[in-house]
Amino acid sequence: MSDITMTLPERSLSAGPRGAKPRRRFAPSTIMLYSVLIIAALYYLLPLYVMVVTSLKGMPEIRMGNIFAPPVDITFEPWITAWDSACTGLYCEGIKVGFWNSVKITVPGVIVSIAIASVNGYALANWRFKGSEIFFTILLFGAFIPYQVLLYPLVILLRELGIFSTLTGIVLVHTIFGMPILTLLFRNYFAALPVELFKAARVDGAGFWQIFLQIYLPMSLPIFVVGLILQVTGIWNDFLFGVVFAGSQNYPMTVQLNNIVNAVQGVKQYNVNMAATLLTGAVPLFVYFVSGRLFVRGIAAGAVKG
Amino acid sequence: MAAATRPFSLFRNASAKIAALPMILTALGVFVGGTIWTIVYSFTDSRLLPSTNFVGFSQYARLFDTPRWSVSIYNLAVYGSLLLVFSFVVGFLLAALMDQKIRFESTFRTIYLYPFALSFIVTGLIWQWILDPGLGLPKLMRDLGFEQFDLALLGNPDTVLFALVMAGLWQSTGFVMVLMLAGLRGIDNEIWKAARVDGIPAWKTYLFIIVPMMKGVFITTLVIVASGIVRLYDLVVAMTQGGPGFASEVPAKYVYDFMFQRANLGQGLAASTVMLVTVFIILVPWALFVFREKKP
C-alpha cells in the first residue's frame, strides 16, 4: 500500500524518449504522426479559444455570429461586469467576492495542510512508532472514501467545535482531505534521503524538531513546491466542500461562478459568464503554466489522489 | 526504520507521537469514525437531524425502489464505462505517439494536460456554453446546413450523458496520457531492440509486449480514474443540474440533495453507504494486486 507510486516511474519522465525507431523527416508516417497530434491539440485548445473570444464580444454580436468567429468589435465590458457587478441571486457584487473568499480559504488551507503533512511524513519516515504504519494505511484508504460518506459526520464535528460555516472550518476540512496525499508525498521524499544524515544528526544530539527544521527542511524545497502546486490547485478548484462547510458569506469562487452562470432569473449574458469562468480558471492555469514539469511530477507522485 | 528508537513505552519517541497526532486523529476520528457513523445512521429514520430510531434496512429498500436512484446508478455506469474506455484508448494512443521522438513534446503535453488543472465547474460551464442549443455549436451546424447533426445534446434526455462524457474526457484524457507516457518511459529500451531484431511490427510490440508489461500502470490509472468517476458531482451540477428531468442525475448528487436539501438524512446516508461499498469493490482487487506485487 505504501509503495503505490512505485508502479508509476515518475522520475523516468525526465528521461529522453525511447519508443519505436526514429523516422526520416517528412516521411508520410511522420506527417501522419504530427497531423494526429495537432488535431488532438486543437480539440484541447478550442474550448479555451471559444471562452476567450466569447468573453470579448458584445451580446448582439454573440446572437448574430457563431461561437468560433473572432470578435469584430473587441470589448472588455464583460470582464469588468463579471469582476465587479455580476449577480448571484440578490447580490450584484461580481465574482470578486468569490475571488477574495477563495484567497482567504486557499492561503491558510495550503499553509496549514502542508505544515501538518510534512511533519507527519517526517515522523513516518524517520521516527516510526508502534502503529504508525497502521495509521498511515488507514489514511491512504481514507483517500478513496467517497466524500459523501464523510460529509455529515464532518458537519456534526464542525458544529460541535463551533466552526461550522466559518473560514476556520473550511480550512480544517481541506487540511483533513489533503492529508493522505500530502503525507504520502512527504513520507516518500524523506524516506529517500540518506539515512546516514539522520544518524549523524542523532549522534550529535539533535532531537525531533531540530533535525526537521535545521536539516530536512532546507533540503526539501522541491517537494514543498510540489505540495504547494497540488494544494493551491486542489483547494482553489474545490466546489463541494465550499458549498457545505464554508457558509454563504464565505462561498469560494467556484461556488459563486456556478451561482452566477446557472442563475435562473435574468437574461443569460454569455460573454459575462465566459469572462467569469476564465477569471476562475486563471489561478490554477497560472500555477500550471508556471510550474510545468513540477505539476506533472505532482500528479504522478500524487497519483493516489485522483 | 532502523534509525528510530525502539518503542519500549508510550513516552518513548514522544515528540514523534505528538507530531503525528493530527494524522492519528484524522485517520481514526474522521476516516474510521465518520465511516462507521454514516453506516450506523443509515439504518435509522433520521430526517432533518440524526435520530437513533433504528428501522433496519428500510432506507435501503426505499433507495432501490426510488426511480431517481436507479437512474443515477445507470447514468454513472454509462458515463463511467464510456469515460474509462475512451480515456484509456485515446490516452494510450497519444502517449504512444508522444513517445516517437517527436519535436515540441513538452508543448504538446502542456496542451493536452492543461484542462486537468481546471475545476470541474469551469469545465462544465465551458462545455455548457459550447453545446448551448440556441447559440453554440448546434446553431453553427444548423447555419452551415448540417441539419442531420443534431448536437443539442444537453436538452435531450437520451444524449445528455454523451455531453457529460465529452466534457469529462476533455478534462481527464491528458492525465491518463501523462501516466501512460510515464509507464512507456519506464520500459527497458532493450525490449524495443529485441522486438526490432525479431522483426516484430511496432503495433504488435505495443499490443502484445508493451501493454502487458505496463499492467501496474494500467491498474493504478484505472483505480484513480474509477474512484474519480464514483465522485462525479461538480461537473453535473455545473453542466446539467441533473436535467433534463432526472436524465443526468448521479449518486453523489442524490446524496447531497437528500442530506442537505430534502431533510431526509437517513436516505442520503444509505445512498452514500452504497457508494462506499462500490468504491471498495473497485479498490479491494487492486489492493490485493499491489500487495502481491510488493511482497512476493
Side-chain angles (χ1 to χ4, degrees), chain A residues 131-148:
Chain A
S132 64
E133 284 300 292
I134 296 170
F135 295 128
F136 181 57
T137 308
I138 295 174
L139 201 67
L140 285 186
F141 269 99
F144 289 101
I145 298 173
Y147 297 142
Q148 282 71 23

Side-chain angles (χ1 to χ4, degrees), chain A residues 133-165:
Chain A
E133 284 300 292
I134 296 170
F135 295 128
F136 181 57
T137 308
I138 295 174
L139 201 67
L140 285 186
F141 269 99
F144 289 101
I145 298 173
Y147 297 142
Q148 282 71 23
V149 174
L150 302 174
L151 282 183
Y152 211 85
L154 278 172
V155 168
I156 296 175
L157 181 73
L158 295 196
R159 236 182 234 149
E160 292 297 314
L161 294 172
I163 52 173
F164 185 64
S165 285

Side-chain angles (χ1 to χ4, degrees), chain B residues 231-248:
Chain B
R231 282 179 189 159
L232 176 68
Y233 174 75
D234 312 15
L235 187 64
V236 176
V237 169
M239 210 170 157
T240 69
Q241 297 90 48
F246 286 152
S248 60

